[in-house]
Amino acid sequence: MKEIIRTLTVGERQAALAIAIGVTVAGLAMAALGNGDPFGVHGYVVAAYGLVATIFLIRCYNLSPSNVDRADSYYDEPIKAAVVFSLAWAVVGMLFGLWAALQLAWPSLSFDLPWSSFGRIRPDHTTGVIFGFGGNALIGTSFYVVQRSSRARMPDQVAPLFVILGYNLFCVLGATGYLMGVTKSKEYAEPEWYAGLWLVTVWIVYLIVYLRTLARRKEPHIYVANWYYIAFIVIVAILYIVNNLAVPIAFTRAKSYSLFGGVQDAMTQWWYGHNAVAFFLTAGFLGMLYYFMPKRAGRPIYSYRISIISFWGITFFYIWVGSHHLHYTALPEWVQILGMSFSLMLLVPSWASAGNALMTLNGAWDKVRDDATLRFMMVAAVFYGLTTFEGSFMAIRPVNSLSHYTDWTIAHVHAGALGWVAMITFGSLYAMVPWVWKKPSMYSPRLVEVHFWCALSGALIYVLAMWNSGILQGLMWRTYNEHGTLAYSFVDSVVAMHPYYIARALGGLIFLVGVLVCCFNVFMTTRTPVDAFAPARHKVDDALGPVPLPRPAE
């Protein structure tokens, strides 16, 4: 962290210190005004976060500045911080996920404590994995990609750090709030109003940093990966703001009530919820895919035109599909059919992206065989194609009548989360970490191989268990006997799920072991001297030494 301070000028250090002091004061005010309410507890969390930053900045204030010429190098320190935060949240989020999975098999593992019930640790899992692990990876890789593909350094030093640290403060507020029972009970939008206001502030700064970097570009062409990242940033902001419009009971209390009610609230929530999948868990990660896969494979994208057509198809079709989560509800039937129709049409641009990625590997399949990092990306593209097909299939109303509210949905979500999102993230991190830390390769390519097989086997065990569990559930719930009554009670279906839930937990455990292997490998890569590495098999023009401005992207 001291190296980050060294890169700051005196004026930038003063600005960073002012922000840290401001956060500390705001936290103390929250603690004082919200005494006796979770709002006040979160005030202490904010104050502690700001105080740690303030003390660190004061202690490092007089460090000699770095002699790196900003005009000839990229700003990678925020990217390094994002990598560390991403992997830390991956471990925390997946530990909570494993605990939740074990509770489904053995409910006594909640230990009869209110904070450890399934309903509280499950959003800790989703927030830790989606927003902590995935969000930090998206921010870090977007900062990397926009600089390299634009041949331009980010415009200032403080704002990118504010984005990284501020975003993680939001994640901390969300994760600690759930354990206290602070939640809006909206899927992927559980943090309360004050956390949402902070996130919107951070997100606006993020957008400004990104657009200012593009405006400074020396490359006339805006590479397609940036299109996906911009869609991710802009549309997630719109979705989050609209869905989280709420009225707090008091500005010193955590509780708030949604501005929407009834079926309008449900429609708004799933307009947001599914488009969080679309633009947070799909568009941003396609930005990763379109940069890191061609770079790692040493091949140009198979069809740049297909990548652009896919972008506009995904951006237009995805925004309409949220209502397929509300089949057979009070939502007007025409809205349900609209969501189903656009879900089916969405298959075309989604498969175009998956096919484009796989065709990019033509002439590089020997590298896929030998390089586990590239294999992560290849498997991610395969899972992306399979998951988007399954999603369109499950949006059909008769199919949805069998799959909805069953573990089939859980299988589908985790095929996307573990197979697509996590795989492309790990592949991108394994490619990017040596480049950012100026190392010739990862510390241990063999450990990358171990992680790959842990990730693949864990994901397959998890998804196959939940597919079988979900279909069995759906069939048991709709089986009638000769008297026209249900053949099985709900308890019968719960008993039948037990072996599948054990398999689910086993798959999650294997996947988590792979994440721990990744954390160790990344840590050793950052700490090991360059001379101790074997000669790199995959070199890029910005892998070693002072980072030069690269040639234009393919």
Side-chain angles (χ1 to χ4, degrees), residues 418-461:
L418 301 179
W420 156 236
V421 171
M423 289 286 190
I424 189 60
T425 300
F426 288 127
S428 300
L429 292 181
Y430 280 133
M432 186 178 73
V433 164
W435 302 345
V436 171
W437 267 274
K438 318 298 186 296
K439 302 297 171 69
S441 66
M442 289 298 296
Y443 168 75
S444 173
R446 181 164 294 182
L447 287 180
V448 179
E449 191 83 29
V450 170
H451 181 197
F452 171 79
W453 290 111
C454 284
L456 182 59
S457 59
L460 288 176
I461 291 171

Side-chain angles (χ1 to χ4, degrees), residues 244-480:
N244 286 273
L245 293 173
V247 179
I249 60 173
F251 289 111
T252 59
R253 295 292 180 265
K255 180 63 180 172
S256 67
Y257 289 95
S258 174
L259 203 62
F260 307 100
V263 72
Q264 288 81 13
D265 188 35
M267 181 64 249
T268 306
Q269 159 59 26
W270 283 111
W271 168 77
Y272 162 84
H274 199 85
N275 285 297
V277 174
F279 293 97
F280 199 98
L281 297 176
T282 300
F285 292 96
L286 282 172
M288 284 190 204
L289 181 75
Y290 275 120
Y291 183 87
F292 289 101
M293 176 181 274
K295 196 76 170 174
R296 187 73 180 187
R299 303 284 300 174
I301 292 177
Y302 173 71
S303 172
Y304 199 85
R305 182 171 298 176
I306 288 178
S307 70
I308 300 299
I309 294 172
S310 296
F311 170 82
W312 288 111
I314 288 170
T315 302
F316 179 71
F317 289 152
Y318 242 129
I319 208 75
W320 298 91
V321 306
S323 60
H324 76 225
H325 286 266
L326 298 169
H327 284 323
Y328 305 103
T329 67
L331 195 71
E333 187 171 340
W334 70 267
V335 181
Q336 299 177 35
I337 293 174
L338 180 73
M340 178 183 72
S341 302
F342 274 91
S343 299
L344 293 171
M345 290 188 286
L346 183 62
L347 186 60
V348 175
S350 298
W351 269 32
S353 290
N356 203 12
L358 294 174
M359 293 296 287
T360 298
L361 296 174
N362 276 351
W365 288 105
D366 58 317
K367 296 180 181 179
V368 176
R369 179 193 62 210
D370 299 332
D371 180 14
T373 297
L374 192 56
R375 210 178 311 132
F376 266 107
M377 302 179 192
M378 182 274 292
V379 170
V382 172
F383 266 100
Y384 177 64
L386 293 174
T387 306
T388 51
F389 170 78
E390 184 184 37
S392 297
F393 182 67
M394 292 171 70
I396 301 171
R397 295 183 83 228
V399 177
N400 195 268
S401 68
L402 173 67
S403 69
H404 210 177
Y405 309 116
T406 73
D407 289 335
W408 187 354
T409 302
I410 308 302
H412 169 64
V413 168
H414 284 81
L418 301 179
W420 156 236
V421 171
M423 289 286 190
I424 189 60
T425 300
F426 288 127
S428 300
L429 292 181
Y430 280 133
M432 186 178 73
V433 164
W435 302 345
V436 171
W437 267 274
K438 318 298 186 296
K439 302 297 171 69
S441 66
M442 289 298 296
Y443 168 75
S444 173
R446 181 164 294 182
L447 287 180
V448 179
E449 191 83 29
V450 170
H451 181 197
F452 171 79
W453 290 111
C454 284
L456 182 59
S457 59
L460 288 176
I461 291 171
Y462 190 114
V463 172
L464 290 172
M466 290 297 94
W467 270 339
N468 283 278
S469 168
I471 294 171
L472 181 60
Q473 275 180 324
L475 293 175
M476 290 181 73
W477 292 350
R478 61 197 291 169
T479 300
Y480 294 88

Side-chain angles (χ1 to χ4, degrees), residues 25-180:
V25 171
L28 292 174
M30 289 173 63
L33 296 173
N35 187 31
D37 188 83
F39 182 84
V41 177
H42 269 159
Y44 287 113
V45 172
V46 172
Y49 199 89
L51 186 61
V52 169
T54 301
I55 293 173
F56 180 78
L57 285 166
I58 291 174
R59 291 184 62 183
C60 299
Y61 188 82
N62 292 319
L63 286 174
S64 58
S66 172
N67 57 6
V68 175
D69 186 355
R70 293 188 182 184
D72 295 329
S73 63
Y74 295 123
Y75 186 32
D76 287 341
E77 277 65 28
I79 301 171
K80 295 177 182 179
V83 170
V84 173
F85 279 122
S86 178
L87 292 177
W89 279 110
V91 173
V92 172
M94 292 182 194
L95 277 172
F96 274 103
L98 177 61
W99 189 8
L102 290 170
Q103 281 190 15
L104 290 174
W106 297 284
S108 61
L109 291 177
S110 68
F111 308 111
D112 288 330
L113 299 172
W115 65 268
S116 64
S117 64
F118 182 87
R120 295 196 183 184
I121 67 172
R122 189 262 179 183
D124 263 324
H125 163 59
T126 56
T127 294
V129 173
I130 296 173
F131 296 112
F133 168 55
N136 277 289
L138 285 168
I139 294 171
T141 56
S142 69
F143 283 164
Y144 183 92
V145 169
V146 72
Q147 292 184 94
R148 268 66 179 184
S149 62
S150 301
R151 297 195 296 134
R153 183 186 175 96
M154 284 189 283
D156 68 80
Q157 305 277 103
V158 177
L161 290 174
F162 172 77
V163 171
I164 296 294
L165 297 176
Y167 179 77
N168 281 279
L169 176 56
F170 162 78
C171 293
V172 169
L173 291 175
T176 55
Y178 308 146
L179 300 180
M180 294 187 291

